[in-house]
Amino acid sequence: NKFIKLVKLIKNKRINRILNRNIDLIKRTRAFLRQKDIAIITLAYIPSYLFEGAMFFFAFYALGVRADPLMLLFIFYFADTIGVISNLPAALGSFDITAITLSEILAGIPGITSLSAIMIFRLFNLVEPAIIGYLSYLVFSKFAFSKIYEQKLVQRRRAKRS
């Protein structure tokens, strides 16, 4: 509301025209950012985030690292936050360097062991969801496009009969 009042106070006609065209878009965008919706999205994301933290811990555990689980989870969540702030796709590089550095400084884990664990984590964190997504696409696309498949089957049967 304050933004809309500010737009009306602007004297420059060109800027005012541009902003007036986008007021409806701004009103619609604000509707998506209700606190209830944000809370629901956050709560829905928590299990996934906890699962990623557990995968990070088990990647180290698989290599024989018996560090404090809470310390490893702190390292993961701090590195993930740095990765989000860096705004790189999948936090590639910034997450890795932060996690390696913190695991060496805070948990005393050698850098090469940390790198190996992070590579295992990345394998499951990046490749596994892509494979599951592709398989889900193959399965669910048949349901979504069942009418198209049925029409093609009918056409093939007619072509075989002729």
Side-chain angles (χ1 to χ4, degrees), residues 101-121:
T101 304
L102 287 178
S103 63
E104 195 166 351
I105 293 171
L106 298 178
I109 301 168
I112 192 70
T113 306
S114 298
L115 179 63
S116 301
I118 290 170
M119 289 175 68
I120 292 170
F121 169 73

Side-chain angles (χ1 to χ4, degrees), residues 61-82:
Y61 192 79
L63 294 176
V65 175
R66 302 297 184 256
D68 181 23
L70 293 177
M71 180 61 70
L72 285 176
L73 290 177
F74 169 77
I75 291 168
F76 169 72
Y77 292 123
F78 187 82
D80 194 51
T81 303
I82 297 297

Side-chain angles (χ1 to χ4, degrees), residues 7-23:
V7 169
K8 291 178 181 177
L9 292 176
I10 293 177
K11 302 293 183 194
N12 188 329
K13 291 181 182 179
R14 184 175 181 201
I15 294 174
N16 202 353
R17 249 186 294 130
I18 293 169
L19 292 175
N20 278 329
R21 273 188 253 148
N22 293 318
I23 284 178

Side-chain angles (χ1 to χ4, degrees), residues 151-162:
Q151 290 174 355
K152 287 184 179 181
L153 286 174
V154 169
Q155 289 174 355
R156 287 179 189 166
R157 289 179 186 158
R158 287 181 185 164
K160 286 182 182 179
R161 290 181 188 167
S162 340

Side-chain angles (χ1 to χ4, degrees), residues 20-131:
N20 278 329
R21 273 188 253 148
N22 293 318
I23 284 178
D24 289 333
L25 177 65
I26 292 167
K27 286 180 181 177
R28 281 184 266 141
T29 305
R30 284 191 60 198
F32 291 124
L33 299 176
R34 294 182 302 185
Q35 289 181 348
K36 180 182 174 184
D37 295 336
I38 292 172
I40 290 171
I41 291 168
T42 303
L43 290 175
Y45 184 66
I46 287 174
S48 171
Y49 208 55
L50 291 174
F51 182 71
E52 285 183 7
M55 280 193 333
F56 186 79
F57 169 74
F58 286 116
F60 279 91
Y61 192 79
L63 294 176
V65 175
R66 302 297 184 256
D68 181 23
L70 293 177
M71 180 61 70
L72 285 176
L73 290 177
F74 169 77
I75 291 168
F76 169 72
Y77 292 123
F78 187 82
D80 194 51
T81 303
I82 297 297
V84 169
I85 292 171
S86 72
N87 209 20
L88 292 170
L92 291 174
S94 57
F95 170 84
D96 306 324
I97 289 173
T98 306
I100 291 168
T101 304
L102 287 178
S103 63
E104 195 166 351
I105 293 171
L106 298 178
I109 301 168
I112 192 70
T113 306
S114 298
L115 179 63
S116 301
I118 290 170
M119 289 175 68
I120 292 170
F121 169 73
R122 286 288 188 184
L123 175 72
F124 287 105
N125 194 30
L126 296 175
V127 175
E128 181 253 344
I131 293 170

